[in-house]
């Protein structure tokens, strides 16, 4: 890519706060003879919105300063040199600032590098990925498998000549080129969000890679889907806040719609002002013999709006109360009975107990466990490759936090 084209891309991206630029497609970006000059200009214009994906083989002392100014770097590990350089970058990335470059290692299932280094990075829960921030493990999807690609509908590709293509169709360029158009015009010209289901099926049948995202400090690894809505719950939660709010609003709306004159509901006195309008007053603000309505109110609107106001007040008051773990006394959220730490300990204790019961080979939490001595065990994946070995507690921690992948 020529300097003039790179500059045009960076300058236009800098006009939009939600645009991220990532040199990553069709080859190793660090091979470019003006790599450091290109990145220095992008860092000046985009700040944290310039990222890099590399195989790591060209990381060196000479470009360490430039790389340390990037907000995010992904190293696709496919060689010993790339891995060694990534480790060196990880150790030298702190540049005296509180902020540091986020480093992601990515591995491809079945590759020699994955077999050699993946266990070393994620195999010991106490090592927290040897100092790396994230680990991505790509695996082959079986045909017909559901797969949600987070880049679909949010990404366009630019080749070194300035030709632009949608993310899923890199060679379907439709004549779009930055020599004659702006990024904004090209973006608006593509239908990037048509039929997501079709797009995802296409990914699977084309045998695209799926991925599992690892991060020892990442709350998403501790989340589960709410069975009723599209939200997420921590694994130790007993109910969903969103569902609680919607249930409360629905119940209050029904009660408000039944009001003919006035009614006391959850600390409020609600008056019907018209066939569709209501006013709500906090009881604590009214005199005992007040009949109202008055010149002021806490909320007015239709039944849904009044219900939302009352429910949000109820929720806010409940959230202000203190809640403690029933086992250790630590502070917890209102929808929890025990803290996440105690919840995880219970899970680990159960897995440990199940592992100890194994005499030869057994399945625990979908992991195949083999006893190799009175106190030692091994974990095997579905390719019959040993992924972790150790005593029952160590194997249990591995299964609990990192299996399956």
């Amino acid at each position: 890519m020529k300097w003039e084209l790179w500059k045009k891309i960076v300058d236009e991206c800098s006009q939009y706060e939600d645009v991220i630029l990532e040199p990553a497609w069709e080859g190793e970006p660090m091979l470019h003879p003006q790599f450091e000059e290109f990145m220095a200009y992008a860092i000046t214009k985009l700040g944290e919105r310039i990222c890099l994906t590399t195989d790591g083989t060209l990381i060196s002392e000479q470009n360490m300063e430039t790389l340390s100014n990037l907000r995010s770097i992904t190293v696709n590990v496919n060689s010993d040199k790339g891995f060694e350089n990534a480790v060196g970058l990880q150790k030298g990335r702190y540049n005296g600032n509180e902020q540091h470059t986020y480093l992601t290692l990515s591995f491809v299932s079945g590759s020699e590098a994955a077999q050699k280094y993946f266990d070393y990075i994620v195999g010991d829960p106490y090592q927290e990925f040897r100092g790396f921030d994230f680990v991505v493990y790509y695996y082959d999807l079986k045909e017909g498998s559901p797969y949600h690609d987070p880049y679909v509908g949010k990404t366009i590709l630019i080749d070194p000549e300035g030709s632009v293509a949608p993310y899923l169709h890199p060679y379907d360029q439709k004549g779009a080129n930055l020599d004659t158009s702006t990024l904004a015009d090209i973006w608006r010209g593509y239908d990037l969000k048509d039929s997501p289901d079709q797009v995802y099926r296409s990914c699977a049948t084309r045998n695209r890679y799926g991925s599992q995202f690892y991060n020892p400090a990442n709350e998403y690894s501790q989340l589960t889907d709410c069975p009723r809505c599209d939200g997420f719950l921590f694994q130790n939660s007993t109910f969903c806040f969103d569902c609680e709010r919607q249930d409360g609003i629905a119940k209050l709306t029904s009660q408000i719609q039944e009001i003919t004159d006035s009614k006391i509901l959850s600390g409020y006195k609600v008056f019907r002002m018209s066939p569709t309008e209501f006013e709500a007053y906090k009881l604590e603000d009214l005199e005992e013999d007040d009949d109202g309505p008055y010149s002021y109110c806490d909320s007015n609107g239709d039944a849904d709006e009044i219900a939302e106001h009352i429910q949000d007040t109820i929720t806010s008051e409940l959230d202000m109360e203190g809640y403690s773990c029933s086992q250790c006394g630590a502070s917890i959220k209102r929808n929890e009975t025990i803290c996440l730490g105690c919840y995880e300990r219970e899970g680990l204790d159960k897995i440990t107990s199940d592992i100890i019961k194994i005499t030869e080979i057994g399945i625990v939490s979908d992991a195949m466990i083999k006893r190799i001595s009175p106190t030692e065990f091994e974990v095997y994946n579905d390719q019959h490759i040993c992924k972790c070995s150790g005593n029952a507690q160590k194997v249990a921690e591995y299964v609990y936090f990192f299996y399956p992948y």
Side-chain angles (χ1 to χ4, degrees):
M1 181 175 288
K2 295 180 180 179
W3 167 257
E4 292 76 14
L5 177 58
W6 175 256
K7 186 175 183 297
K8 178 179 180 178
I9 294 170
V10 171
D11 289 346
E12 187 167 353
C13 287
S14 69
Q15 299 174 28
Y16 305 96
E17 294 182 356
D18 57 349
V19 173
I20 296 174
L21 183 61
E22 182 174 5
W25 183 46
E26 287 198 329
E28 169 55 50
M30 295 186 70
L31 278 172
H32 196 286
Q34 292 178 276
F35 170 76
E36 292 195 50
E37 183 181 357
F38 276 32
M39 298 307 289
Y41 184 75
I43 291 167
T44 301
K45 300 287 286 187
L46 298 174
E48 295 182 358
R49 293 185 290 115
I50 175 70
C51 305
L52 175 68
T53 296
T54 173
D55 68 4
T57 55
L58 296 178
I59 296 173
S60 66
E61 292 287 341
Q62 287 69 36
N63 54 40
M64 193 74 73
E65 183 176 352
T66 297
L67 297 178
S68 67
N69 287 318
L70 296 175
R71 189 61 173 143
S72 174
I73 298 174
T74 297
V75 179
N76 295 326
V77 180
N78 52 40
S79 69
D80 294 342
K81 184 174 179 59
F83 180 77
E84 291 166 4
N85 288 345
V87 171
L89 179 62
Q90 185 276 320
K91 293 179 179 178
R93 62 180 161 158
Y94 296 91
N95 54 15
N97 300 322
E98 291 185 4
Q99 300 291 343
H100 68 271
T101 304
Y102 285 93
L103 285 182
T104 298
L105 293 182
S106 73
F107 298 87
V108 174
S109 172
S111 70
E112 183 178 342
Q115 295 175 8
K116 192 171 185 179
Y117 297 117
F118 182 75
D119 262 1
Y120 170 75
I121 294 296
V122 307
D124 189 341
Y126 296 109
Q127 291 298 322
E128 295 191 343
F129 298 168
R130 311 284 175 177
F132 289 92
D133 297 290
F134 302 97
V135 174
V136 182
Y137 189 88
Y138 292 95
Y139 52 90
D140 282 319
L141 285 170
K142 295 179 181 178
E143 187 167 327
S145 299
Y147 171 48
H148 175 84
D149 192 322
Y151 296 101
V152 171
K154 301 177 183 178
T155 306
I156 54 177
L157 306 175
I158 307 169
D159 76 6
E161 304 303 321
S163 295
V164 181
Y167 171 68
L168 282 179
H169 307 282
Y171 303 106
D172 180 17
Q173 295 167 350
K174 299 180 181 178
N177 195 288
L178 289 176
D179 285 339
T180 55
S181 303
T182 66
L183 276 174
D185 288 341
I186 293 172
W187 177 270
R188 287 191 288 266
Y190 276 118
D191 187 5
L192 296 172
K193 299 182 180 179
D194 56 341
S195 184
D197 291 337
Q198 179 181 354
V199 168
Y200 303 151
R201 283 198 299 273
S202 173
C203 287
T205 55
R206 283 166 50 200
N207 206 29
R208 287 185 64 86
Y209 282 108
S211 67
Q212 187 149 344
F213 209 38
Y214 297 84
N215 173 9
N218 187 359
E219 290 183 346
Y220 290 111
S221 64
Q222 303 161 349
L223 295 177
T224 184
D225 294 331
C226 173
R228 290 182 52 196
C229 70
D230 293 330
F232 296 101
L233 292 173
F234 280 95
Q235 294 176 356
N236 59 323
S237 300
T238 57
F239 63 88
C240 170
F241 285 127
D242 289 338
C243 291
E244 178 199 51
R245 181 175 184 272
Q246 293 306 315
D247 289 345
I249 290 172
K251 182 179 179 180
L252 285 167
T253 299
S254 176
Q255 293 173 328
I256 292 169
Q257 289 172 337
E258 294 173 354
I259 295 173
T260 55
D261 181 23
S262 66
K263 186 176 184 179
I264 293 175
L265 294 173
S266 302
Y268 282 85
K269 192 167 187 178
V270 182
F271 295 87
R272 180 184 285 273
M273 307 302 295
S274 76
T276 59
E277 295 294 312
F278 301 84
E279 289 185 356
Y281 301 81
K282 265 204 164 186
L283 286 177
E284 61 191 49
D285 297 331
L286 301 178
E287 297 294 335
E288 189 173 340
D289 57 350
D290 280 346
D291 293 325
Y294 313 96
S295 59
Y296 69 93
C297 65
D298 291 286
S299 179
N300 61 76
D302 61 25
D304 283 333
E305 291 170 328
I306 299 296
E308 286 185 14
H309 176 81
I310 295 176
Q311 182 59 44
D312 288 344
T313 301
I314 294 171
T315 300
S316 177
E317 291 174 351
L318 288 172
D319 288 342
M320 290 176 65
E321 299 179 17
Y323 301 89
S324 300
C325 172
S326 60
Q327 295 188 15
C328 70
S331 296
I332 58 175
K333 296 183 178 69
R334 183 166 55 84
N335 64 341
E336 300 170 345
T337 56
I338 61 174
C339 67
L340 192 58
C342 289
Y343 179 88
E344 289 180 347
R345 273 195 296 275
E346 286 185 352
L348 283 169
D349 288 346
K350 183 179 186 310
I351 292 175
T352 302
S353 174
D354 291 342
I355 291 172
I356 291 173
K357 295 175 184 177
I358 293 174
T359 56
E360 294 183 2
I361 297 176
I363 303 296
V364 178
S365 296
D366 295 327
M368 186 172 73
I369 313 293
K370 180 179 180 181
R371 182 186 284 271
I372 59 174
S373 78
T375 58
E376 297 291 306
F377 301 84
E378 291 179 339
V379 183
Y380 288 83
N381 65 8
D382 52 8
Q383 282 84 42
H384 303 289
I385 298 173
C386 179
K387 308 305 293 183
C388 178
S389 63
N391 60 28
Q393 183 177 358
K394 180 179 179 180
V395 169
E397 288 170 346
Y398 182 82
V399 171
Y400 185 87
F401 290 108
F402 300 120
Y403 197 91
Y405 57 79

